[in-house]
Amino acid sequence: MVGRASTHQIETRGDRVTKRFVSAGRGEAEREWRALRLLAEHSPGLAPRPIDADLAARPPYVVMSRLAGTPLRGMTTTRRHTAAMARAIGALHEAVPRSVVAGLPPASWNPAAAVAKARALRESRPDLGADPTVAGAYAAGAKWLDGLDTGRLLGIDTPVLGLADGNLANYLWDGERVRLVDFEDSGRSDRAFELAEVAEHISARTPGTFDATALLGEFDLPGAVARRVREFRRVFAYSWMLMLGPGGPARDRNPPGTLERQAGRLLDLLG
């Protein structure tokens, strides 16, 4: 979620991509290799095909097939795009048997980590400037966060193999379908959390490019799951807003006005 510095280097040769991991603290290479192998077995074509890996090398690396396609980040998506995206997410969540998912390590970005991050950001009292809408959103979000029932929110309803990264750059459109890349944070996750992460990732906030409501509308979610998606969306929206202030870690990567738009979005979600 947090827009950290690049954790890997990419080398492309012909139809092969080598991903070298300069960061290893979250077991990134192992997570990538595991997910690619699982998907090659249970949903071939959804993700790059795993070719080779040396997880003990320094730095560790994974070699995979090269996927054709255009990242959805920055694209003006239509219903066709969001429907294809929903099919890809559904395949990711449903293809791997539940018994296998149960034995996976938790994704490195997960519900407990997201709630803890939101609270830590709030406690740090970041500089958000002087815009009154932003100030109002900060106060409303803080009040909501204080009353959040984390016991209910953090209970997993459906364990899934999760990408654990909602960046639309990880969703490639090839003209017919959407396929997925970047599994370095993947692991056992929660369906509601994963859907909310995609819907509220800051990469989707460029005005007029992506309709999160249309994406979520492609899923037939029971009421309890839909409520948890809504709560997680609030967690993400609040955290992103707190990182968009002057000097914040997400400020420089987003166009002017993103903070104010994010404040309005948070107020809509809280309403």
Short mmCIF file of all heavy atoms in Angstrom, two decimals, residues 159-215:
data_model
loop_
_atom_site.label_atom_id
_atom_site.label_comp_id
_atom_site.label_asym_id
_atom_site.label_seq_id
_atom_site.Cartn_x
_atom_site.Cartn_y
_atom_site.Cartn_z
N PRO A 159 -10.73 -17.12 3.46
CA PRO A 159 -9.29 -17.06 3.17
C PRO A 159 -9.05 -17.30 1.68
O PRO A 159 -9.64 -18.19 1.06
CB PRO A 159 -8.71 -18.20 4.01
CG PRO A 159 -9.76 -18.51 5.03
CD PRO A 159 -11.06 -18.24 4.36
N VAL A 160 -8.17 -16.48 1.09
CA VAL A 160 -7.84 -16.59 -0.33
C VAL A 160 -6.35 -16.36 -0.53
O VAL A 160 -5.67 -15.81 0.34
CB VAL A 160 -8.64 -15.55 -1.16
CG1 VAL A 160 -10.13 -15.79 -1.08
CG2 VAL A 160 -8.29 -14.12 -0.73
N LEU A 161 -5.86 -16.78 -1.70
CA LEU A 161 -4.53 -16.34 -2.11
C LEU A 161 -4.68 -14.89 -2.54
O LEU A 161 -5.43 -14.58 -3.47
CB LEU A 161 -4.02 -17.18 -3.28
CG LEU A 161 -2.74 -16.67 -3.96
CD1 LEU A 161 -1.57 -16.61 -2.98
CD2 LEU A 161 -2.39 -17.55 -5.16
N GLY A 162 -4.02 -13.99 -1.85
CA GLY A 162 -4.17 -12.57 -2.12
C GLY A 162 -2.92 -11.97 -2.74
O GLY A 162 -1.80 -12.31 -2.37
N LEU A 163 -3.13 -11.04 -3.67
CA LEU A 163 -2.03 -10.28 -4.25
C LEU A 163 -1.47 -9.30 -3.23
O LEU A 163 -0.28 -8.97 -3.25
CB LEU A 163 -2.53 -9.54 -5.49
CG LEU A 163 -1.52 -8.82 -6.37
CD1 LEU A 163 -0.54 -9.82 -6.99
CD2 LEU A 163 -2.22 -8.04 -7.46
N ALA A 164 -2.35 -8.80 -2.35
CA ALA A 164 -1.95 -7.88 -1.28
C ALA A 164 -1.36 -6.58 -1.80
O ALA A 164 -0.53 -5.95 -1.15
CB ALA A 164 -0.99 -8.56 -0.30
N ASP A 165 -1.77 -6.17 -2.99
CA ASP A 165 -1.30 -4.92 -3.57
C ASP A 165 -2.34 -4.48 -4.61
O ASP A 165 -2.46 -5.11 -5.66
CB ASP A 165 0.07 -5.11 -4.23
CG ASP A 165 0.68 -3.79 -4.71
OD1 ASP A 165 -0.06 -2.79 -4.79
OD2 ASP A 165 1.89 -3.78 -5.00
N GLY A 166 -3.06 -3.40 -4.31
CA GLY A 166 -4.12 -2.96 -5.20
C GLY A 166 -3.68 -2.02 -6.30
O GLY A 166 -4.53 -1.48 -7.01
N ASN A 167 -2.38 -1.82 -6.46
CA ASN A 167 -1.89 -0.92 -7.50
C ASN A 167 -2.38 -1.38 -8.88
O ASN A 167 -2.12 -2.51 -9.29
CB ASN A 167 -0.37 -0.88 -7.47
CG ASN A 167 0.21 0.25 -8.29
OD1 ASN A 167 -0.39 0.72 -9.25
ND2 ASN A 167 1.39 0.70 -7.90
N LEU A 168 -3.07 -0.50 -9.60
CA LEU A 168 -3.60 -0.88 -10.91
C LEU A 168 -2.51 -1.18 -11.93
O LEU A 168 -2.79 -1.75 -12.98
CB LEU A 168 -4.53 0.22 -11.43
CG LEU A 168 -5.82 0.44 -10.65
CD1 LEU A 168 -6.70 1.46 -11.36
CD2 LEU A 168 -6.58 -0.86 -10.44
N ALA A 169 -1.27 -0.80 -11.63
CA ALA A 169 -0.17 -1.16 -12.51
C ALA A 169 0.06 -2.67 -12.53
O ALA A 169 0.71 -3.19 -13.45
CB ALA A 169 1.11 -0.46 -12.07
N ASN A 170 -0.47 -3.38 -11.56
CA ASN A 170 -0.30 -4.83 -11.48
C ASN A 170 -1.36 -5.60 -12.27
O ASN A 170 -1.35 -6.83 -12.28
CB ASN A 170 -0.34 -5.29 -10.02
CG ASN A 170 0.78 -4.71 -9.20
OD1 ASN A 170 1.85 -4.40 -9.74
ND2 ASN A 170 0.56 -4.53 -7.91
N TYR A 171 -2.28 -4.87 -12.90
CA TYR A 171 -3.37 -5.49 -13.67
C TYR A 171 -3.16 -5.13 -15.14
O TYR A 171 -3.28 -3.97 -15.52
CB TYR A 171 -4.72 -4.99 -13.16
CG TYR A 171 -4.99 -5.39 -11.73
CD1 TYR A 171 -4.41 -4.70 -10.66
CD2 TYR A 171 -5.80 -6.48 -11.44
CE1 TYR A 171 -4.63 -5.09 -9.35
CE2 TYR A 171 -6.03 -6.87 -10.13
CZ TYR A 171 -5.44 -6.18 -9.09
OH TYR A 171 -5.66 -6.57 -7.79
N LEU A 172 -2.86 -6.13 -15.96
CA LEU A 172 -2.51 -5.91 -17.36
C LEU A 172 -3.68 -6.28 -18.27
O LEU A 172 -4.19 -7.41 -18.22
CB LEU A 172 -1.29 -6.75 -17.74
CG LEU A 172 0.00 -6.54 -16.94
CD1 LEU A 172 1.12 -7.38 -17.53
CD2 LEU A 172 0.40 -5.07 -16.89
N TRP A 173 -4.07 -5.34 -19.11
CA TRP A 173 -5.14 -5.55 -20.08
C TRP A 173 -4.53 -5.85 -21.44
O TRP A 173 -3.75 -5.06 -21.97
CB TRP A 173 -6.00 -4.29 -20.15
CG TRP A 173 -6.99 -4.23 -21.26
CD1 TRP A 173 -6.93 -3.42 -22.36
CD2 TRP A 173 -8.20 -4.99 -21.38
NE1 TRP A 173 -8.03 -3.63 -23.17
CE2 TRP A 173 -8.82 -4.59 -22.59
CE3 TRP A 173 -8.81 -5.96 -20.59
CZ2 TRP A 173 -10.03 -5.14 -23.01
CZ3 TRP A 173 -10.01 -6.50 -21.02
CH2 TRP A 173 -10.61 -6.09 -22.21
N ASP A 174 -4.88 -7.02 -22.01
CA ASP A 174 -4.30 -7.40 -23.30
C ASP A 174 -5.29 -7.24 -24.46
O ASP A 174 -5.03 -7.73 -25.56
CB ASP A 174 -3.76 -8.83 -23.25
CG ASP A 174 -4.85 -9.89 -23.10
OD1 ASP A 174 -6.06 -9.52 -23.08
OD2 ASP A 174 -4.51 -11.08 -23.00
N GLY A 175 -6.40 -6.57 -24.20
CA GLY A 175 -7.42 -6.38 -25.22
C GLY A 175 -8.60 -7.30 -25.06
O GLY A 175 -9.69 -7.04 -25.59
N GLU A 176 -8.41 -8.39 -24.28
CA GLU A 176 -9.48 -9.34 -24.06
C GLU A 176 -9.65 -9.69 -22.58
O GLU A 176 -10.77 -9.87 -22.11
CB GLU A 176 -9.23 -10.62 -24.86
CG GLU A 176 -9.27 -10.43 -26.37
CD GLU A 176 -9.08 -11.73 -27.12
OE1 GLU A 176 -8.95 -12.79 -26.44
OE2 GLU A 176 -9.08 -11.71 -28.35
N ARG A 177 -8.54 -9.79 -21.89
CA ARG A 177 -8.60 -10.21 -20.49
C ARG A 177 -7.60 -9.41 -19.66
O ARG A 177 -6.72 -8.74 -20.20
CB ARG A 177 -8.32 -11.71 -20.36
CG ARG A 177 -6.93 -12.11 -20.81
CD ARG A 177 -6.69 -13.61 -20.72
NE ARG A 177 -6.71 -14.07 -19.34
CZ ARG A 177 -6.33 -15.29 -18.96
NH1 ARG A 177 -5.91 -16.18 -19.84
NH2 ARG A 177 -6.38 -15.64 -17.69
N VAL A 178 -7.73 -9.54 -18.35
CA VAL A 178 -6.80 -8.93 -17.41
C VAL A 178 -5.98 -10.05 -16.78
O VAL A 178 -6.53 -11.08 -16.36
CB VAL A 178 -7.54 -8.12 -16.33
CG1 VAL A 178 -6.61 -7.76 -15.18
CG2 VAL A 178 -8.13 -6.85 -16.93
N ARG A 179 -4.68 -9.83 -16.70
CA ARG A 179 -3.80 -10.78 -16.01
C ARG A 179 -3.00 -10.04 -14.95
O ARG A 179 -2.92 -8.80 -14.96
CB ARG A 179 -2.91 -11.49 -17.02
CG ARG A 179 -3.74 -12.40 -17.93
CD ARG A 179 -2.90 -13.25 -18.85
NE ARG A 179 -2.33 -12.48 -19.94
CZ ARG A 179 -1.55 -13.04 -20.88
NH1 ARG A 179 -1.25 -14.33 -20.83
NH2 ARG A 179 -1.08 -12.29 -21.86
N LEU A 180 -2.41 -10.78 -14.04
CA LEU A 180 -1.85 -10.20 -12.82
C LEU A 180 -0.34 -10.39 -12.75
O LEU A 180 0.19 -11.44 -13.14
CB LEU A 180 -2.49 -10.86 -11.60
CG LEU A 180 -4.02 -10.90 -11.57
CD1 LEU A 180 -4.51 -11.64 -10.33
CD2 LEU A 180 -4.60 -9.50 -11.61
N VAL A 181 0.34 -9.38 -12.20
CA VAL A 181 1.78 -9.46 -11.96
C VAL A 181 2.08 -8.90 -10.57
O VAL A 181 1.24 -8.27 -9.94
CB VAL A 181 2.58 -8.66 -13.02
CG1 VAL A 181 2.38 -9.25 -14.40
CG2 VAL A 181 2.19 -7.18 -13.01
N ASP A 182 3.30 -9.15 -10.11
CA ASP A 182 3.82 -8.61 -8.85
C ASP A 182 3.22 -9.30 -7.62
O ASP A 182 2.35 -8.75 -6.94
CB ASP A 182 3.60 -7.10 -8.77
CG ASP A 182 4.92 -6.34 -8.80
OD1 ASP A 182 5.97 -6.99 -8.68
OD2 ASP A 182 4.88 -5.12 -8.95
N PHE A 183 3.76 -10.46 -7.31
CA PHE A 183 3.24 -11.27 -6.20
C PHE A 183 4.19 -11.26 -5.00
O PHE A 183 4.13 -12.17 -4.18
CB PHE A 183 2.99 -12.70 -6.68
CG PHE A 183 1.80 -12.82 -7.59
CD1 PHE A 183 1.94 -12.60 -8.96
CD2 PHE A 183 0.56 -13.13 -7.08
CE1 PHE A 183 0.84 -12.70 -9.80
CE2 PHE A 183 -0.54 -13.23 -7.91
CZ PHE A 183 -0.41 -13.02 -9.28
N GLU A 184 5.03 -10.25 -4.87
CA GLU A 184 6.04 -10.27 -3.83
C GLU A 184 5.49 -10.08 -2.42
O GLU A 184 6.20 -10.34 -1.44
CB GLU A 184 7.11 -9.22 -4.12
CG GLU A 184 6.61 -7.80 -4.10
CD GLU A 184 7.67 -6.83 -4.59
OE1 GLU A 184 8.25 -7.04 -5.66
OE2 GLU A 184 7.93 -5.86 -3.85
N ASP A 185 4.26 -9.61 -2.28
CA ASP A 185 3.63 -9.50 -0.96
C ASP A 185 2.54 -10.54 -0.74
O ASP A 185 1.84 -10.51 0.26
CB ASP A 185 3.03 -8.10 -0.79
CG ASP A 185 4.08 -7.03 -0.60
OD1 ASP A 185 4.97 -7.24 0.25
OD2 ASP A 185 4.05 -6.01 -1.29
N SER A 186 2.39 -11.45 -1.68
CA SER A 186 1.25 -12.36 -1.68
C SER A 186 1.31 -13.37 -0.54
O SER A 186 2.35 -13.59 0.08
CB SER A 186 1.18 -13.10 -3.02
OG SER A 186 2.31 -13.95 -3.18
N GLY A 187 0.16 -13.99 -0.31
CA GLY A 187 0.04 -15.00 0.73
C GLY A 187 -1.42 -15.20 1.08
O GLY A 187 -2.31 -14.74 0.37
N ARG A 188 -1.65 -15.89 2.19
CA ARG A 188 -3.03 -16.10 2.65
C ARG A 188 -3.62 -14.76 3.09
O ARG A 188 -3.03 -14.04 3.88
CB ARG A 188 -3.05 -17.09 3.81
CG ARG A 188 -4.47 -17.49 4.23
CD ARG A 188 -4.46 -18.50 5.36
NE ARG A 188 -4.06 -17.92 6.63
CZ ARG A 188 -2.89 -18.11 7.23
NH1 ARG A 188 -1.97 -18.88 6.67
NH2 ARG A 188 -2.61 -17.54 8.38
N SER A 189 -4.76 -14.43 2.53
CA SER A 189 -5.36 -13.14 2.82
C SER A 189 -6.86 -13.30 2.99
O SER A 189 -7.38 -14.42 3.11
CB SER A 189 -5.03 -12.14 1.70
OG SER A 189 -5.41 -10.82 2.05
N ASP A 190 -7.56 -12.20 3.00
CA ASP A 190 -8.99 -12.14 3.25
C ASP A 190 -9.67 -11.50 2.05
O ASP A 190 -9.23 -10.45 1.56
CB ASP A 190 -9.24 -11.32 4.52
CG ASP A 190 -10.70 -11.05 4.76
OD1 ASP A 190 -11.39 -11.97 5.20
OD2 ASP A 190 -11.16 -9.91 4.51
N ARG A 191 -10.74 -12.10 1.55
CA ARG A 191 -11.39 -11.61 0.34
C ARG A 191 -11.86 -10.17 0.49
O ARG A 191 -11.64 -9.33 -0.40
CB ARG A 191 -12.57 -12.50 -0.02
CG ARG A 191 -13.36 -12.03 -1.22
CD ARG A 191 -14.46 -12.99 -1.60
NE ARG A 191 -15.36 -13.26 -0.49
CZ ARG A 191 -16.56 -13.82 -0.63
NH1 ARG A 191 -16.97 -14.18 -1.82
NH2 ARG A 191 -17.31 -14.05 0.43
N ALA A 192 -12.51 -9.83 1.59
CA ALA A 192 -13.02 -8.47 1.77
C ALA A 192 -11.88 -7.46 1.78
O ALA A 192 -11.96 -6.38 1.19
CB ALA A 192 -13.82 -8.38 3.07
N PHE A 193 -10.80 -7.79 2.45
CA PHE A 193 -9.62 -6.92 2.52
C PHE A 193 -9.04 -6.70 1.12
O PHE A 193 -8.72 -5.56 0.74
CB PHE A 193 -8.58 -7.58 3.43
CG PHE A 193 -7.26 -6.85 3.51
CD1 PHE A 193 -7.09 -5.80 4.39
CD2 PHE A 193 -6.19 -7.24 2.73
CE1 PHE A 193 -5.87 -5.14 4.49
CE2 PHE A 193 -4.97 -6.59 2.82
CZ PHE A 193 -4.81 -5.53 3.70
N GLU A 194 -8.90 -7.77 0.35
CA GLU A 194 -8.31 -7.67 -0.98
C GLU A 194 -9.16 -6.80 -1.90
O GLU A 194 -8.63 -5.98 -2.67
CB GLU A 194 -8.15 -9.07 -1.58
CG GLU A 194 -7.10 -9.92 -0.89
CD GLU A 194 -5.68 -9.49 -1.21
OE1 GLU A 194 -5.42 -9.15 -2.37
OE2 GLU A 194 -4.84 -9.50 -0.29
N LEU A 195 -10.48 -6.95 -1.86
CA LEU A 195 -11.34 -6.15 -2.72
C LEU A 195 -11.28 -4.67 -2.33
O LEU A 195 -11.24 -3.79 -3.21
CB LEU A 195 -12.78 -6.65 -2.62
CG LEU A 195 -13.03 -8.05 -3.22
CD1 LEU A 195 -14.48 -8.46 -2.98
CD2 LEU A 195 -12.71 -8.08 -4.70
N ALA A 196 -11.25 -4.40 -1.04
CA ALA A 196 -11.17 -3.01 -0.59
C ALA A 196 -9.83 -2.39 -0.96
O ALA A 196 -9.76 -1.21 -1.33
CB ALA A 196 -11.38 -2.94 0.92
N GLU A 197 -8.76 -3.16 -0.89
CA GLU A 197 -7.43 -2.66 -1.24
C GLU A 197 -7.38 -2.19 -2.69
O GLU A 197 -6.82 -1.13 -3.01
CB GLU A 197 -6.39 -3.76 -0.97
CG GLU A 197 -5.04 -3.58 -1.62
CD GLU A 197 -4.19 -2.49 -1.00
OE1 GLU A 197 -4.59 -1.89 0.00
OE2 GLU A 197 -3.09 -2.24 -1.55
N VAL A 198 -7.99 -2.96 -3.59
CA VAL A 198 -8.03 -2.57 -5.00
C VAL A 198 -8.90 -1.33 -5.18
O VAL A 198 -8.53 -0.38 -5.89
CB VAL A 198 -8.55 -3.72 -5.87
CG1 VAL A 198 -8.68 -3.28 -7.32
CG2 VAL A 198 -7.64 -4.93 -5.78
N ALA A 199 -10.07 -1.34 -4.56
CA ALA A 199 -11.02 -0.23 -4.74
C ALA A 199 -10.46 1.10 -4.27
O ALA A 199 -10.76 2.15 -4.85
CB ALA A 199 -12.32 -0.53 -4.01
N GLU A 200 -9.64 1.09 -3.22
CA GLU A 200 -9.18 2.34 -2.63
C GLU A 200 -7.71 2.66 -2.84
O GLU A 200 -7.21 3.63 -2.29
CB GLU A 200 -9.49 2.33 -1.12
CG GLU A 200 -10.97 2.33 -0.81
CD GLU A 200 -11.72 3.47 -1.51
OE1 GLU A 200 -11.20 4.60 -1.53
OE2 GLU A 200 -12.80 3.21 -2.05
N HIS A 201 -7.02 1.86 -3.63
CA HIS A 201 -5.60 2.18 -3.86
C HIS A 201 -5.47 3.53 -4.55
O HIS A 201 -6.26 3.87 -5.44
CB HIS A 201 -4.94 1.09 -4.70
CG HIS A 201 -3.45 1.13 -4.65
ND1 HIS A 201 -2.71 1.98 -5.43
CD2 HIS A 201 -2.56 0.44 -3.88
CE1 HIS A 201 -1.42 1.81 -5.15
NE2 HIS A 201 -1.31 0.89 -4.22
N ILE A 202 -4.48 4.28 -4.17
CA ILE A 202 -4.32 5.65 -4.67
C ILE A 202 -4.07 5.66 -6.18
O ILE A 202 -4.32 6.68 -6.85
CB ILE A 202 -3.18 6.36 -3.91
CG1 ILE A 202 -3.32 7.88 -4.04
CG2 ILE A 202 -1.83 5.85 -4.37
CD1 ILE A 202 -4.53 8.45 -3.36
N SER A 203 -3.61 4.56 -6.74
CA SER A 203 -3.38 4.49 -8.19
C SER A 203 -4.67 4.64 -8.98
O SER A 203 -4.63 4.93 -10.19
CB SER A 203 -2.71 3.16 -8.56
OG SER A 203 -3.56 2.06 -8.26
N ALA A 204 -5.81 4.44 -8.33
CA ALA A 204 -7.11 4.55 -9.00
C ALA A 204 -7.76 5.91 -8.82
O ALA A 204 -8.90 6.11 -9.24
CB ALA A 204 -8.06 3.47 -8.48
N ARG A 205 -7.05 6.86 -8.23
CA ARG A 205 -7.68 8.13 -7.88
C ARG A 205 -7.56 9.21 -8.95
O ARG A 205 -8.07 10.30 -8.75
CB ARG A 205 -7.10 8.66 -6.56
CG ARG A 205 -7.41 7.83 -5.34
CD ARG A 205 -8.85 7.92 -4.90
NE ARG A 205 -9.75 7.19 -5.75
CZ ARG A 205 -9.96 5.87 -5.68
NH1 ARG A 205 -9.31 5.16 -4.81
NH2 ARG A 205 -10.82 5.29 -6.50
N THR A 206 -6.89 8.95 -10.06
CA THR A 206 -6.87 9.94 -11.13
C THR A 206 -8.30 10.14 -11.62
O THR A 206 -8.99 9.18 -11.97
CB THR A 206 -6.00 9.47 -12.30
OG1 THR A 206 -4.67 9.21 -11.81
CG2 THR A 206 -5.94 10.52 -13.39
N PRO A 207 -8.81 11.37 -11.60
CA PRO A 207 -10.23 11.60 -11.92
C PRO A 207 -10.65 11.02 -13.26
O PRO A 207 -9.95 11.17 -14.27
CB PRO A 207 -10.34 13.14 -11.92
CG PRO A 207 -9.22 13.60 -11.05
CD PRO A 207 -8.11 12.63 -11.27
N GLY A 208 -11.77 10.31 -13.24
CA GLY A 208 -12.37 9.82 -14.47
C GLY A 208 -11.74 8.61 -15.09
O GLY A 208 -12.07 8.23 -16.22
N THR A 209 -10.82 7.93 -14.38
CA THR A 209 -10.13 6.80 -15.00
C THR A 209 -10.61 5.44 -14.54
O THR A 209 -10.53 4.47 -15.28
CB THR A 209 -8.61 6.89 -14.75
OG1 THR A 209 -8.36 6.90 -13.33
CG2 THR A 209 -8.03 8.15 -15.37
N PHE A 210 -11.10 5.32 -13.30
CA PHE A 210 -11.43 4.00 -12.78
C PHE A 210 -12.66 4.10 -11.88
O PHE A 210 -12.75 4.97 -11.02
CB PHE A 210 -10.24 3.44 -11.97
CG PHE A 210 -10.50 2.09 -11.36
CD1 PHE A 210 -10.55 0.96 -12.16
CD2 PHE A 210 -10.71 1.96 -10.00
CE1 PHE A 210 -10.79 -0.29 -11.59
CE2 PHE A 210 -10.94 0.73 -9.42
CZ PHE A 210 -10.98 -0.40 -10.23
N ASP A 211 -13.60 3.19 -12.06
CA ASP A 211 -14.85 3.17 -11.30
C ASP A 211 -14.83 2.01 -10.32
O ASP A 211 -15.13 0.87 -10.69
CB ASP A 211 -16.03 3.06 -12.27
CG ASP A 211 -17.38 3.24 -11.57
OD1 ASP A 211 -17.43 3.14 -10.33
OD2 ASP A 211 -18.38 3.47 -12.28
N ALA A 212 -14.46 2.29 -9.08
CA ALA A 212 -14.38 1.24 -8.07
C ALA A 212 -15.75 0.64 -7.79
O ALA A 212 -15.87 -0.56 -7.53
CB ALA A 212 -13.78 1.80 -6.78
N THR A 213 -16.80 1.46 -7.85
CA THR A 213 -18.14 0.96 -7.61
C THR A 213 -18.53 -0.08 -8.66
O THR A 213 -19.14 -1.11 -8.35
CB THR A 213 -19.16 2.11 -7.61
OG1 THR A 213 -18.80 3.05 -6.58
CG2 THR A 213 -20.57 1.60 -7.36
N ALA A 214 -18.15 0.18 -9.91
CA ALA A 214 -18.44 -0.77 -10.98
C ALA A 214 -17.69 -2.08 -10.76
O ALA A 214 -18.24 -3.17 -10.98
CB ALA A 214 -18.07 -0.18 -12.33
N LEU A 215 -16.44 -1.98 -10.31
CA LEU A 215 -15.68 -3.21 -10.04
C LEU A 215 -16.34 -4.03 -8.94
O LEU A 215 -16.59 -5.23 -9.12
CB LEU A 215 -14.25 -2.86 -9.64
CG LEU A 215 -13.41 -4.06 -9.18
CD1 LEU A 215 -13.15 -5.01 -10.34
CD2 LEU A 215 -12.09 -3.60 -8.55
#
